[in-house]
Amino acid sequence: MKEAWISQRRTLQLSGLTIDRHVSEPNELDFLGCNDHLLCFLLSDRNQQKITRIGEQESEKSQIKGDFWICPAKTSGLWAWDSTDESLMFVIDPLFLSRTAEEVSGLDASHVELLSTISARDPQIEAIAHLFQAELDTGGVGGSLYTESLMQVFIIHLLRQYCTLKPKIQHLGESLPRHRLQPVLDYIHSYLDRPLHLAELAAVAGMSQYHFCRLFKQSMGVAPYQYVLQQRMEKAKELLHQGKHKIAEISLLVGCADQSRFAKQFKKHFGVTPGLLLSKKLP
């Protein structure tokens, strides 16, 4: 989308998906289309829409907080509005969407097309949008694994509900077999001191990210990002008990570059601050 109509913005960049939170001043935009799919979720009230046109669909209805529209790749559009609006713009790489459809269902990539959508409401899209909004507000405190897992949920929902040909999701058992699970656990424990990504864990398990997330949670009772966070906090507790490192050093050793965020996560996990545990050596 053009920069001219955006006055403020925050961005979360993922592989295959970019989320922009921005405030757009009153304007009119005649859009010729682009190479990406766009989904815009309205965060503010009192939208004064004059016209919304996406492909062959058109509406003069003003939107309310929680409404969204979808403009598929290479589809033209026209927007005109008289209000200052805050929204989340999801910019989706069509290749990523198609590749995900192939991985989870075997659907031919040429059949993966999103539907043009205007003034829609969807409780799951709304919940996902607010979770991404929270990540933008907190500077990505959830970490890469969390946002990548959230992206998987978002993309699968789009494929199931807003695709011209809805893929049938294949299920590969109810849990990860031990010969796939153990290498992943070993890998996680070997690299707790650096950012971990969903793609690399799925590659260790030898399966798609979607199937890996689902089967890992079935096997361990928690999502991959939750398991990694638990293990980081347990390692931090162990290092604190040893008394050989300062809190700032321990934060880095468990992959937390921001010491204040590390302290908040530690207290949330154990109910005490790292400083208190270090000084009193609590069990």
Side-chain angles (χ1 to χ4, degrees), residues 11-233:
T11 302
L12 181 61
Q13 181 73 55
L14 301 168
S15 178
L17 176 68
T18 300
I19 303 106
D20 279 334
R21 179 180 181 177
H22 56 249
V23 175
S24 51
E25 304 293 343
N27 209 333
E28 180 173 318
L29 177 66
D30 193 352
F31 184 60
L32 298 178
C34 68
N35 292 327
D36 296 307
H37 303 305
L38 305 174
L39 184 153
C40 185
F41 179 86
L42 189 65
L43 295 172
S44 55
D45 284 318
R46 298 179 297 280
N47 167 267
Q48 298 174 28
Q49 200 78 8
K50 293 194 293 186
I51 187 171
T52 301
R53 182 188 304 142
I54 299 175
E56 300 300 318
Q57 295 191 53
E58 183 174 316
S59 172
E60 296 182 4
K61 174 185 174 184
S62 289
Q63 301 174 66
I64 61 174
K65 183 177 181 180
D67 282 357
F68 68 92
W69 52 254
I70 298 174
C71 183
K74 304 185 186 305
T75 301
S76 63
L78 174 65
W79 293 266
W81 65 101
D82 288 332
S83 52
T84 298
D85 300 328
E86 183 178 11
S87 58
L88 285 183
M89 180 71 75
F90 294 81
V91 183
I92 306 155
D93 182 348
L95 291 177
F96 176 71
L97 187 73
S98 298
R99 187 169 63 249
T100 301
E102 288 180 319
E103 289 176 349
V104 304
S105 69
L107 186 66
D108 188 319
S110 63
H111 295 153
V112 181
E113 298 179 24
L114 285 183
L115 295 166
S116 297
T117 306
I118 295 178
S119 297
R121 295 187 72 83
D122 182 323
Q124 188 156 350
I125 292 289
E126 184 170 4
I128 292 169
H130 286 309
L131 289 171
F132 274 124
Q133 178 187 356
E135 279 298 287
L136 285 165
D137 289 343
T138 59
V141 69
S144 300
L145 273 178
Y146 173 70
T147 52
E148 289 163 359
S149 298
L150 191 56
M151 176 176 67
Q152 283 292 314
V153 175
F154 174 65
I155 294 297
I156 295 297
H157 186 69
L158 288 182
L159 289 171
R160 282 175 164 162
Q161 302 298 328
Y162 300 96
C163 191
T164 53
L165 181 62
K166 296 176 175 57
K168 294 181 179 179
I169 308 300
Q170 300 172 345
H171 293 297
L172 305 178
E174 294 303 320
S175 62
L176 277 174
R178 195 67 193 177
H179 74 277
R180 291 182 184 269
L181 177 61
Q182 192 58 52
V184 174
L185 300 182
D186 293 341
Y187 188 89
I188 289 171
H189 284 272
S190 297
Y191 296 106
L192 285 175
D193 61 338
R194 70 166 178 79
L196 289 168
H197 296 277
L198 192 57
E200 62 185 298
L201 298 184
V204 172
M207 60 182 59
S208 73
Q209 295 179 47
Y210 167 75
H211 290 304
F212 169 72
C213 282
R214 192 181 71 83
L215 296 180
F216 186 95
K217 187 171 183 179
Q218 292 280 17
S219 301
M220 302 301 295
V222 292
Y225 77 89
Q226 292 172 312
Y227 178 80
V228 170
L229 181 58
Q230 289 175 358
Q231 298 311 302
R232 283 181 167 149
M233 294 302 102

Side-chain angles (χ1 to χ4, degrees), residues 216-256:
F216 186 95
K217 187 171 183 179
Q218 292 280 17
S219 301
M220 302 301 295
V222 292
Y225 77 89
Q226 292 172 312
Y227 178 80
V228 170
L229 181 58
Q230 289 175 358
Q231 298 311 302
R232 283 181 167 149
M233 294 302 102
E234 291 294 339
K235 182 177 180 180
K237 182 180 178 182
E238 179 184 338
L239 293 171
L240 285 165
H241 275 301
Q242 292 176 5
K244 297 178 181 179
H245 303 280
K246 295 179 180 178
I247 293 175
E249 295 172 332
I250 292 173
S251 177
L252 293 174
L253 288 171
V254 297
C256 301

Side-chain angles (χ1 to χ4, degrees), residues 240 247 266-267 271-282:
L240 285 165
I247 293 175
F266 191 92
K267 185 175 182 181
V272 295
T273 64
L276 184 60
L277 190 61
L278 185 62
S279 63
K280 296 187 177 181
K281 305 287 182 66
L282 297 177

